Amino acid sequence: MQKASISESVIRRLPRYYRYLSQLESQGIERTSSRELGIQLGLTASQIRQDLNCFGEFGQQGYGYNVAALRRQLKLIIGLNKSRSAIIVGAGNLGKVIAANIDFCAYGFRLTGIFDIDHNICGSEIAGFTVQHMDSLEQFCRETEPLIAVLCIPQEAAQETADILTALGVKGFWNFSHCDLDVDRCQFQVENVHLGDSLMTLSYRMPKDED
Amino acid sequence: MQKASISESVIRRLPRYYRYLSQLESQGIERTSSRELGIQLGLTASQIRQDLNCFGEFGQQGYGYNVAALRRQLKLIIGLNKSRSAIIVGAGNLGKVIAANIDFCAYGFRLTGIFDIDHNICGSEIAGFTVQHMDSLEQFCRETEPLIAVLCIPQEAAQETADILTALGVKGFWNFSHCDLDVDRCQFQVENVHLGDSLMTLSYRMPKDED
């Protein structure tokens, strides 16, 4: 499993495979093929085979894939069996939604703390956590060593906060702040959720003659 | 400007260009080059030139790009000068955050209505809108013809709701429901924000020896 050589687009398709196989399994379907997967996911059978071949030998000629076995393998490949510590930085509206609605455990993480700089928010309860002040961040990180931070803070504060967090040992960012973090991509992982970029992409795709 | 032939990755980079140029303009910087843009955006100068060449002739040999002019052009290309009607379907936590935090006007849309199926939520005020019941959706669409719908509803309801909306003339979806919509991609545009897929991608990228 040579991670470095696997293309971004293959990596982006893994969650879709996993999601679809989970759906098949919950419907009691035991067996599928690259052809069937392809039809459902809008890909060719050969692309599915190529993608999965990046990670090992899964299907069997003439049989296809065992749904439960393939799903289990993908779960391990994506790391969903892990329980890595995650903190949320920024407990405004978005931070609250993330805390309350994302089932971190389903994605290989566990939420361990929520932080904010606003004294009015600190002390309040969100998703079973008491929001802590950023002043406590350093001690918290030294004691519990969170692996990733979910950044739900304004753009202006994002880079400085990321620098503090990397110095405290955080290795990955789920970045909802609308800016591109300047961190060493060899050492740190950044997954951006740029909602504005996403809406601009939709804007671009809409027919130009519509108002 | 032959939209159909422009690759997905180029389209995905347009918002980043626009965002970065806006930042340069706000800093009073008048001129940039494909080399400088490349360094900032982690791309090669030649890739920047190739990307922009998909849309027209912008830079000048020896001068580079006029920041304000290029930003203005990209604004038109992305369609950010438009004001297309958008509705939010689903006024739970996520729908509320989108309504309150996304500046639709900055992205070529205007929010015109918020809908929910839950009678307890209907009638409440979000971002200056009174949440309407889904029963009013049909009449609302016939009268105001929204172009896109932001889907903030559970996965189970997403496909049925999308079918209703396409029948009512909606042409695009900003889809936060964690499922892939089955709509004719030639007629309808779908931009997915699959937060779970995004977190799985981060999970995959994290070192496998960490818990």
Side-chain angles (χ1 to χ4, degrees), chain B residues 10-211:
Chain B
V10 176
I11 295 171
R12 295 254 158 228
R13 282 194 288 270
L14 281 181
R16 290 184 64 207
Y17 292 142
Y18 179 76
R19 196 148 44 84
Y20 184 61
L21 288 162
S22 304
Q23 198 181 314
L24 290 182
E25 197 178 6
S26 73
Q27 290 164 355
I29 295 168
E30 288 177 12
R31 195 170 143 177
T32 187
S33 66
S34 44
R35 197 175 150 270
E36 280 171 7
L37 282 173
I39 291 170
Q40 285 303 322
L41 298 169
L43 301 163
T44 65
S46 122
Q47 188 159 34
I48 303 263
R49 284 193 297 269
Q50 272 180 41
D51 282 5
L52 295 177
N53 280 343
C54 297
F55 303 98
E57 302 270 328
F58 301 110
Q60 252 183 298
Q61 191 87 36
Y63 173 86
Y65 301 102
N66 177 293
V67 168
L70 182 56
R71 177 180 174 276
R72 208 163 45 232
Q73 291 293 328
L74 286 180
K75 187 173 175 170
L76 297 178
I77 289 165
I78 304 174
L80 305 184
N81 56 319
K82 301 279 182 177
S83 174
R84 296 157 294 195
S85 168
I87 58 172
I88 292 178
V89 181
N93 289 329
L94 183 63
K96 275 182 208 159
V97 167
I98 303 287
N101 292 273
I102 297 289
D103 178 8
F104 282 87
C105 298
Y107 302 113
F109 298 99
R110 66 181 197 283
L111 190 57
T112 54
I114 306 179
F115 294 84
D116 203 284
I117 204 158
D118 182 347
H119 283 286
N120 295 318
I121 294 179
C122 295
S124 65
E125 288 265 323
I126 300 175
F129 291 89
T130 304
V131 179
Q132 301 176 66
H133 193 268
M134 287 295 277
D135 289 345
S136 327
L137 186 65
E138 185 170 337
Q139 199 190 340
F140 182 91
C141 288
R142 297 209 189 286
E143 285 170 9
T144 69
E145 301 185 341
L147 191 68
I148 69 159
V150 186
L151 297 184
C152 301
I153 51 182
Q155 192 175 335
E156 311 78 63
Q159 186 60 50
E160 194 193 336
T161 308
D163 291 340
I164 293 170
L165 287 163
T166 53
L168 291 170
V170 166
K171 298 287 186 217
F173 295 96
W174 198 21
N175 177 34
F176 288 80
S177 301
H178 205 209
C179 74
D180 297 316
L181 299 177
D182 182 16
V183 296
D184 177 355
R185 294 300 184 109
C186 299
Q187 282 192 68
F188 305 102
Q189 303 301 322
V190 180
E191 169 69 15
N192 291 313
V193 183
H194 286 338
L195 294 181
D197 286 15
S198 171
L199 189 52
M200 281 197 241
T201 306
L202 184 59
S203 172
Y204 171 80
R205 292 218 187 91
M206 296 312 295
K208 280 289 172 284
D209 53 346
E210 303 274 1
D211 288 307

Side-chain angles (χ1 to χ4, degrees), chain A residues 3 84 203-204 208, chain B residues 3 82 84 203-204 208:
Chain A
K3 270 199 177 191
R84 296 157 295 194
S203 173
Y204 171 80
K208 281 287 172 286
Chain B
K3 271 200 174 188
K82 301 279 182 177
R84 296 157 294 195
S203 172
Y204 171 80
K208 280 289 172 284

Side-chain angles (χ1 to χ4, degrees), chain A residues 95-107:
Chain A
K96 275 183 207 157
V97 168
I98 303 287
N101 293 275
I102 296 289
D103 178 9
F104 282 86
C105 298
Y107 302 113

